[in-house]
Amino acid sequence: MSAHLSKTDSEVSSLSQSSPARSDRRQVYYVQSPSRDSHDGEKTTNSFHSTPVLSPMGSPPHSHSNSSLGPHSSRESSSTRLSGSMKPQRKHDGSRKGRKPWKEFDAIEEEGLLDGDGAHQDFHRRRCYFLAFVVGFFVLFTTFSLILWGASRPQKPKITMKSISFNEFRVHAGTDSSGVSTQMVTVNCTVKLTYRNTATFFGVHVTSTPLDLFYSQLTVATGTMRKFYQSRKSQRALTVVILGSQIPLYGGGASLGSLNGAPTQPVPLTLNFIVRSRAYVLGKLVKPKFYKRIECSVTMNPMKMSRAISLKNKCIYS
């Protein structure tokens, strides 16, 4: 009995001595799983988690700190390692499901670039069309305006001087505003003329400079013609009164002889004025202007007072 017990103790001691040797022979394997960063295409070579896996020979060796904590701590460490090895795998699966292939991203990007280029080309094309429309409209409008302007130029108004009648022409002595003694003249006469608008498609606005009556380069009477509008292909008769009261003649009146204020001989006079006509064919864009300068040589005959003196062939139109 004692021999058998001693043998058993020796076997136990030998087993206890040999168990560390066996445990030392056990090998530990590590499985490397890719982290979440590896799926983003960055740091694929260094981003790995090491997870120890038990060898087929047995469980992994425990350090003295783990052995001192007991089986509870070993369970916690193994569960921690297990959860650590499982979590990246879940994230890896989710990221793999949500990630699209790179070729699809490249195709979308190329389509976006093509769409951007097409929109840019459409913008330039529209801008070119707009500029061409503006230029074409300007050219057509300018051409049309020039045609209207050219067509309106030959259609000048026609002015005809009819007659002039002297109602009063007196020469008498007097003094001017500064008290200088000189001969004075008083004139009252009436001028008749006709104005005709020969245009076929526009009317004209007519104005005139004052009608001046000269004697020896001195203005002895003046009159004003009212402005008016003349429609196309129409005419009107105009009457203008020319007046001059006590106009000093100074040295020019030396050749004038008078009897009781009436001149004793014919007096040469000159009538001068300008008629301005303006047409608005296309608003204020096409507005042809017509100017007519009229100069008439008139002789006042004391024997024909208050009689109409014809101005036919006595006027120059320019």
Side-chain angles (χ1 to χ4, degrees):
M1 175 66 91
S2 62
H4 178 73
L5 292 172
S6 62
K7 184 178 179 181
T8 303
D9 294 337
S10 63
E11 288 178 356
V12 171
S13 62
S14 64
L15 288 172
S16 62
Q17 291 178 0
S18 62
S19 61
R22 290 180 181 177
S23 64
D24 293 340
R25 293 176 184 175
R26 295 172 183 172
Q27 296 180 357
V28 178
Y29 297 91
Y30 292 89
V31 177
Q32 294 180 347
S33 63
S35 64
R36 70 181 66 180
D37 297 335
S38 64
H39 300 288
D40 296 336
E42 300 177 356
K43 302 179 181 179
T44 57
T45 57
N46 296 327
S47 58
F48 292 93
H49 295 287
S50 299
T51 304
V53 180
L54 296 179
S55 65
M57 299 298 296
S59 62
H62 300 283
S63 61
H64 294 286
S65 60
N66 293 334
S67 62
S68 62
L69 293 174
H72 179 70
S73 63
S74 63
R75 289 178 182 176
E76 291 180 353
S77 63
S78 63
S79 63
T80 303
R81 288 194 298 269
L82 182 60
S83 63
S85 63
M86 292 299 292
K87 288 180 179 180
Q89 184 67 22
R90 292 177 182 177
K91 294 181 179 179
H92 172 72
D93 295 340
S95 62
R96 179 175 295 178
K97 292 179 181 179
R99 185 174 61 88
K100 295 182 179 180
W102 290 106
K103 292 183 178 180
E104 184 176 354
F105 281 113
D106 293 339
I108 294 174
E109 185 177 0
E110 290 178 358
E111 290 178 359
L113 291 175
L114 291 175
D115 293 340
D117 293 340
H120 189 65
Q121 292 178 359
D122 291 340
F123 173 75
H124 281 288
R125 190 180 297 107
R126 291 176 182 176
R127 186 170 65 177
C128 292
Y129 289 160
F130 178 75
L131 291 176
F133 173 77
V134 172
V135 173
F137 177 78
F138 179 77
V139 171
L140 291 176
F141 185 78
T142 303
T143 304
F144 181 68
S145 301
L146 290 175
I147 292 173
L148 290 178
W149 181 81
S152 64
R153 292 303 297 173
Q155 303 183 23
K156 299 179 181 180
K158 186 176 181 181
I159 302 171
T160 304
M161 301 299 297
K162 291 297 185 178
S163 64
I164 182 172
S165 60
F166 292 92
N167 301 318
E168 182 180 6
F169 196 100
R170 292 189 303 108
V171 179
H172 55 88
T175 58
D176 61 4
S177 58
S178 61
V180 177
S181 298
T182 182
Q183 284 187 326
M184 315 286 285
V185 63
T186 299
V187 179
N188 182 355
C189 62
T190 302
V191 177
K192 293 182 179 181
L193 67 152
T194 58
Y195 183 95
R196 183 181 180 186
N197 181 15
T198 61
T200 57
F201 59 93
F202 60 86
V204 290
H205 299 265
V206 184
T207 59
S208 172
T209 61
L211 282 72
D212 294 328
L213 190 64
F214 294 92
Y215 169 73
S216 185
Q217 298 182 354
L218 295 174
T219 303
V220 296
T222 186
T224 303
M225 183 173 65
R226 294 181 179 180
K227 60 182 179 180
F228 60 92
Y229 173 79
Q230 192 66 38
S231 59
R232 61 187 182 90
K233 298 184 68 175
S234 62
Q235 70 177 16
R236 70 173 58 193
L238 301 172
T239 300
V240 181
V241 177
I242 300 176
L243 299 175
S245 178
Q246 298 183 359
I247 305 299
L249 297 176
Y250 300 108
S255 59
L256 285 177
S258 62
L259 179 63
N260 297 326
T264 57
Q265 56 187 2
V267 179
L269 301 171
T270 302
L271 179 66
N272 193 352
F273 65 102
I274 298 174
V275 178
R276 296 188 291 256
S277 304
R278 176 177 295 181
Y280 296 96
V281 179
L282 191 62
K284 292 186 178 181
L285 297 177
V286 181
K287 46 182 182 180
K289 301 176 183 179
F290 306 97
Y291 295 92
K292 183 73 69 175
R293 184 183 183 90
I294 301 172
E295 183 174 352
C296 302
S297 298
V298 182
T299 300
M300 194 282 299
N301 190 347
M303 305 301 295
K304 296 181 178 181
M305 297 296 294
S306 300
R307 294 181 183 179
I309 300 173
S310 177
L311 296 177
K312 185 178 180 180
N313 300 327
K314 295 181 179 179
C315 297
I316 299 173
Y317 304 92
S318 59

